[in-house]
Amino acid sequence: MTVAKRALDALSQHHAKKAPHDMRQAFADDPLRFKRFSLALDDMLLDWSKCAVNAETMKLLHELAQASEVENRRDQMFAGDLINTTEKRAVLHVALRNRSNRPIRVDGKDVMGDVNRVLSAMRDFSTGVRSGAIATASGKRISDVVNIGIGGSDLGPAMTVLALSPYQDGPRVHFVSNVDGAHLADTLKGLDPARTLFLIASKTFTTIETMTNAHSAREWIVKHLGETAVPKHFAAISTALDKVKAFGIGEERTFGFWDWVGGRYSVWSAIGLPLMIAIGPDNFAHFLAGAHAMDEHFRTAPLAQNLPVRLGLLDVWYRNFHRFTTRSIAPYHSALKRLPAYLQQLEMESNGKQVDMAGQLLTFGTSPVLWGEPGTNGQHAYFQMLHQGTDVTPLEFIAVRDAAHDLPGHHSKLLANALAQAQALMVGQRDTGGHKNFPGNRPSTFFVFEQLTPESLGAFLALYEHRVFTSGALWGINSFDQWGVELGKVLARDIEPRLASGDVQGLDASTAGLLARLRPRP
Ligand code: F6P
C-alpha cells in the first residue's frame, strides 16, 4: 500500500467516526479552540475554528499532504519546471511579483530581466497617462480608460480596480468583456472619444469577444476622430506581439507577457495595467509586494503553519470526505463585489477537471462550485437555504475592520451581521415546531483584514492561488490548462454563419429548433 493510500484510508476511518461530531461540543470541550484553529499573517487573520475539523483531522490531512508530495510539486513550480504538462509550459505567475529578484529560470534563462522591463514600461506609461503627459490625438488629457478583455484579461483588473477604489486617483477605468454589443455600446454612451484610451487585453489576441469589441471600438474612434487618431487612442496587452502589430498598435504601446502566465493568474502582469493606471505605480508595487510575501510564506513555511496548504487541505476534506459540492463566498465589503466571479475562474477553471495528470478518469470529485454575493445582500436572498436547507454549504466570510468610507452607523451593522451569520450557522436554534429550527453545526471560515490595502489584497489573492494549487496537487490534476472552454468556442464558429443562412444540416434537433427561433426576422 502506498503512503498516500494509507493517509487516505486513515482519513476515511476518521471521517466515519463523524469527528468532530459537533462543533458546539468542540468549543465547549476546548476553550482554546479559536486560538488553536486560527492564524494571523501580517494584517490578515484566518479563523477556521468553525470548521468541521479537530486536531486529529488536521494531523491526518497534513500526513496526506506529505504523502501526496505537495511540497515537491510546489518546489517544481517555483523552479520553473514545465508543470503545465498538457501545454508544456512552466507556471510562473510568482515571478511577476518576485520583488526579491531572486533568479527564476525557464529553460535555463532568468526571466526577471524581462519581468522588470515590462513593469518599468508599464510604470512610464501609467505615469504619463495619469499626469497628462501622454495625451490623446488632439492633445487632450485622457479622462477614461476602457479595458477590453475577457476571462483572466478582465476579471482580475476589474475586480481589483473596484476593490481598491479608495486608492483610485487616476482617470476613470471601465471594463468591457461581453461580446453582447450592449456592453460596449452602454459603456461608450457616456464617453468623449477625444479623451478615451482603449486597452486591448488578450493573451492570445484571438479571443472572439475581445477582438469583436476591439474592432468596434476602433470603428468608434475612426468615426469620431479619423483613422490617424487610432495610434494615440489604443494600447495593447498581449503575448502575441505580431497580432497586435497587425491590428495597428505600435510597439511602444504594447505591453507583453509570456506563455508561462495563465490567464487567470495574470493580474500581476501587464494585464494589471488598468489597475496601475487607476491606483498608481507605487500602489501597484505594494499589491505585488503583498503577493510576494504570501509566495514566500507558501514556499518556506512548514506544512503545519502554511496557510494556503491548510486551506487546500480543508477544501479536499470538505469535497471528498464530507462531499460538499459548493462553497459560498461572502465578502462583507461591497468593494469586493466582483470577488466571487474572480474566484470562480481561479478555482473552477483551474480545478474543474475529471482526469489526472496522465489523462486517467478520476474516481472522486474535484472543484466545488463557487458562488456568492456581498453581505449583507446575500442574507436577504439565499441565506435561508444556507441556514435551513437540506444541503450543507461551507461559507467563506471576509470582513474588513476599518470602513472604506466615513458614513456613521453603517460599518458596525455590517460587521455585526457578518459575525452573527457565522455564529447562527454554527450555533443554530432549537424549535420543536420544526419551522423555526436551525440545525446549526454548519461550517464557515472567516477572514479578517485590518484594512483592504493593495498589500493585503495582493496577499489574499496569492493565498487563494496557492490554495487552489494545493487542492489540485492533492487531486493529482493539471490546474493550469483549460481545455474545457475550447469545444464551445469551436462550435460557435460553426453556428454563427448558420444564423444568417438558416442552414441546420448536421445539427441536433434542439440546436436546430432554437437556431430557427433566434434567426433575425427578414
Ligand atoms: O475562456 C478561456 C480563456 O482562455 C481564459 O483562460 C482566459 O483568461 C480567457 O479565455 C481570455 O483569453 P485571452 O486573454 O487570450 O483573450
Side-chain angles (χ1 to χ4, degrees), residues 247-498:
F247 183 88
I249 299 177
E251 224 174 278
E252 70 299 344
R253 282 178 167 242
T254 303
F255 302 89
F257 58 113
W258 307 274
D259 70 358
W260 40 262
V261 183
R264 53 196 176 274
Y265 298 90
S266 64
V267 67
W268 324 98
S269 71
I271 290 291
L273 186 61
L275 177 64
M276 195 190 264
I277 291 174
I279 65 173
D282 292 342
N283 279 323
F284 189 80
H286 295 318
F287 176 63
L288 297 183
H292 177 60
M294 183 56 72
D295 293 341
E296 287 302 281
H297 168 79
F298 179 55
R299 194 171 69 84
T300 59
L303 285 184
Q305 277 95 51
N306 200 307
L307 267 192
V309 170
R310 171 150 303 154
L311 283 168
L313 288 169
L314 273 174
D315 292 338
V316 168
W317 173 242
Y318 280 168
R319 183 71 185 97
N320 301 112
F321 294 89
H322 286 270
R323 308 207 177 203
F324 299 147
T325 51
T326 85
R327 182 164 82 247
S328 186
I329 313 291
Y332 276 69
H333 192 78
S334 68
L336 288 174
K337 191 176 167 161
R338 297 290 288 150
L339 182 69
Y342 174 83
L343 296 181
Q344 278 175 336
Q345 188 196 19
L346 178 58
E347 188 149 347
M348 293 161 76
E349 196 166 80
S350 295
N351 284 347
K353 309 286 165 66
Q354 56 174 345
V355 295
D356 65 15
M357 294 289 283
Q360 296 299 310
L361 211 54
L362 300 172
T363 53
F364 47 81
T366 55
S367 176
V369 176
L370 258 67
W371 57 284
E373 278 287 316
T376 56
N377 295 4
Q379 289 175 209
H380 298 273
Y382 50 77
F383 269 52
Q384 161 64 40
M385 176 267 207
L386 298 177
H387 286 289
Q388 291 189 309
T390 49
D391 292 298
V392 174
T393 300
L395 249 93
E396 196 139 289
F397 290 91
I398 300 157
V400 183
R401 186 196 60 195
D402 297 347
H405 58 85
D406 53 13
L407 293 178
H410 286 252
H411 203 55
S412 57
K413 292 187 182 72
L414 179 72
L415 296 184
N417 270 280
L419 291 167
Q421 290 298 327
Q423 184 188 25
L425 284 162
M426 198 259 289
V427 175
Q429 170 179 283
R430 273 196 201 294
D431 171 49
T432 42
H435 294 286
K436 292 182 184 165
N437 191 58
F438 288 61
N441 200 30
R442 299 203 159 184
S444 63
T445 43
F446 207 122
F447 282 96
V448 177
F449 293 95
E450 288 173 19
Q451 295 171 332
L452 194 65
T453 61
E455 284 98 328
S456 58
L457 183 64
F460 176 73
L461 300 183
L463 166 68
Y464 232 97
E465 289 176 349
H466 298 321
R467 160 191 200 163
V468 169
F469 178 95
T470 302
S471 50
L474 284 160
W475 287 323
I477 59 180
N478 181 357
S479 301
F480 300 102
D481 60 11
Q482 55 284 319
W483 298 106
V485 297
E486 292 306 317
L487 179 59
K489 290 186 195 171
V490 173
L491 296 183
R493 274 199 288 276
D494 169 64
I495 288 177
E496 194 192 347
R498 292 172 183 265

Side-chain angles (χ1 to χ4, degrees), residues 147-157 201-203 257 263 266 271 345:
N147 188 80
I148 293 183
I150 196 164
S153 300
D154 165 71
L155 288 163
S202 175
K203 182 175 169 183
F257 58 113
S266 64
I271 290 291
Q345 188 196 19

